[in-house]
Amino acid sequence: MGFFRFFRSRNEDTSAKVAKDRLQVLIAHERTGRDGPDYLPLLRKDILDVIKKYVAVDDEALTVQLESQDNCDVLELNITLPEPDMSHQPSEEAKRRAALRRQGQAIT
Amino acid sequence: MTKTIVVTSGKGGVGKTTTSASIATGLARRGYKTVVIDFDVGLRNLDLIMGCERRVVYDLVNLVNQEASLHQTLIKDKRVENLYILPASQTRDKDALTIEGIARVMHKLRKSEFDYIICDSPAGIERGAKMALYFADEAIVTTNPEVSSVRDSDRILGILQSESKRSKMNEDPVKEHLLITRYNPSRVKEGQMLSVDDIVDLLAIPLLGIIPESLSVLESSNAGKPVILDEESLAGQAYADAIDRLLGESKPHRFMEAEKKGFLKRLFG
């Protein structure tokens, strides 16, 4: 083993390198939940409610992250839209909104 | 001024009790009146590592419940002057501890003019661990060069920054120290283990010391003698260095390099 390891190239990805890369991503993600401003969970909920008015997404479909780069904060939203619904049935919310539209009422 | 230091990690089995025993012993040997408290109620082990397991009469829960006095509960170390052990209860669980109860104990220790109170935290992030860190002025975060330990250390740093008394009272934050234990430089060199630089990079707190993986840690615990008293061993020397740094001396870090192997050993070893 030692014989082969001696001649092995030094710049290939070692398991320690893989470990560090994985931890870097994970810890950064876990810290945003912890260090992020108090309003982030509420903001996430409100955004999710708005999206749900138009598309039937589930609660895990949205990730909200606040990242600081140099001297500006970037709010990153990541929304995973569902696969096209094969049943072609509109959501209850979409039906309600369509009915309102037909009646010429303001949508709330 | 009494200083309270918590030894914590989140993850279990990384060396909190070994570290608590050696740090407390090291400080006492430098002449500071020191007490080390086992917060692992229900799973006490500090008594075993300190070699005083047969001298436990009263424990932390008795003291919190005012069933015994401080004088009755403290065990005076037989080897080192100025060193006292406050054992955990073995029969109760962690719910027996309350902030008010621990606050009373801390007050009594301060009145007895202890210089250092070392709190040996249980693993986890539940009640016992939160009680252990609540009163801390400083924290020694014990971390193994291994993914789950690093992640849990980061988590416990978050808890220190949000749930300690200092954070709740808006005082200066708890001073954090990183102690890397079970370090194996030759595995690091082979790319099989996270390096000191990797861990410092990830956790971003100042490094207090590196304790090399060493048989003497096991042998010392077998004997019930803190490894810092084994001055021949590398782990014992590494803990002594950490004491110097804790007391404010700047000392270069040792034990980061593997011992040099000869060409033939590298080729066939």
Side-chain angles (χ1 to χ4, degrees), chain B residues 35-159:
Chain B
V35 57
V36 54
I37 309 177
D38 189 350
F39 274 83
D40 207 344
V41 175
L43 291 166
R44 88 165 163 233
N45 274 318
L46 181 69
D47 54 338
L48 212 47
I49 301 300
M50 296 294 296
C52 64
E53 68 276 10
R54 293 180 2 161
R55 298 169 61 206
V56 178
V57 182
Y58 294 107
D59 57 52
L60 181 61
V61 174
N62 295 136
L63 187 57
V64 164
N65 293 344
Q66 294 168 302
E67 296 154 2
S69 70
L70 184 65
H71 181 75
Q72 286 173 307
T73 317
L74 289 179
I75 302 172
K76 192 174 185 324
D77 192 86
K78 284 193 165 162
R79 291 166 296 235
V80 180
E81 192 69 359
N82 299 319
L83 180 59
Y84 297 82
I85 299 111
L86 180 44
S89 170
Q90 188 66 329
T91 51
R92 307 289 286 274
D93 64 46
K94 282 151 186 102
D95 294 336
L97 300 180
T98 59
I99 293 281
E100 297 73 30
I102 302 293
R104 275 201 303 275
V105 173
M106 293 293 177
H107 180 70
K108 282 181 191 161
L109 290 170
R110 274 195 294 272
K111 276 206 337 207
S112 303
E113 295 182 328
F114 276 95
D115 296 306
Y116 284 98
I117 302 172
I118 308 299
C119 303
D120 181 19
S121 172
I125 53 170
E126 279 78 41
R127 193 179 182 82
K130 286 183 181 171
M131 293 287 159
L133 67 78
Y134 187 76
F135 293 95
D137 300 309
E138 301 190 21
I140 298 176
V141 178
T142 312
T143 307
N144 286 173
E146 180 265 325
V147 284
S148 51
S149 177
V150 174
R151 180 199 209 171
D152 291 357
S153 291
D154 194 67
R155 182 94 168 83
I156 209 79
L157 284 167
I159 292 173

Side-chain angles (χ1 to χ4, degrees), chain B residues 12-30:
Chain B
V14 297
K16 284 183 296 297
T17 301
T18 300
T19 297
S20 301
S22 279
I23 294 289
T25 304
L27 288 168
R29 285 181 101 194
R30 306 289 170 96

Side-chain angles (χ1 to χ4, degrees), chain A residues 4-42:
Chain A
F4 293 107
R5 203 175 282 153
F6 184 70
F7 292 106
R8 194 181 60 188
S9 121
R10 284 276 159 195
N11 49 18
E12 67 188 86
D13 268 8
T14 60
S15 69
K17 171 91 168 53
V18 175
K20 189 183 181 189
D21 292 346
R22 290 175 60 214
L23 277 170
Q24 235 154 6
V25 173
L26 180 70
I27 287 178
H29 177 76
E30 288 181 344
R31 277 182 194 160
T32 50
R34 176 171 103 203
D35 305 334
D38 299 347
Y39 61 75
L40 268 193
L42 277 176

Side-chain angles (χ1 to χ4, degrees), chain B residues 180-195:
Chain B
I180 300 175
T181 53
R182 310 197 72 162
Y183 196 66
N184 186 331
S186 45
R187 282 188 183 242
V188 172
K189 198 161 171 243
E190 291 290 337
Q192 297 162 336
M193 185 180 264
L194 288 166
S195 71

Side-chain angles (χ1 to χ4, degrees), chain A residues 5-86:
Chain A
R5 203 175 282 153
F6 184 70
F7 292 106
R8 194 181 60 188
S9 121
R10 284 276 159 195
N11 49 18
E12 67 188 86
D13 268 8
T14 60
S15 69
K17 171 91 168 53
V18 175
K20 189 183 181 189
D21 292 346
R22 290 175 60 214
L23 277 170
Q24 235 154 6
V25 173
L26 180 70
I27 287 178
H29 177 76
E30 288 181 344
R31 277 182 194 160
T32 50
R34 176 171 103 203
D35 305 334
D38 299 347
Y39 61 75
L40 268 193
L42 277 176
L43 175 70
R44 183 178 177 282
K45 187 182 166 296
D46 283 353
I47 294 172
L48 199 59
D49 287 345
V50 172
I51 296 169
K52 279 181 176 172
K53 278 188 178 174
Y54 303 91
V55 193
V57 292
D58 51 53
D59 288 357
E60 270 93 73
L62 175 69
T63 54
V64 177
Q65 280 201 42
L66 191 67
E67 281 182 29
S68 297
Q69 292 169 350
D70 302 324
N71 52 3
C72 72
D73 287 348
V74 178
L75 182 69
E76 184 185 309
L77 303 182
N78 205 326
I79 307 153
T80 316
L81 293 177
E83 295 282 310
D85 186 357
M86 288 310 161

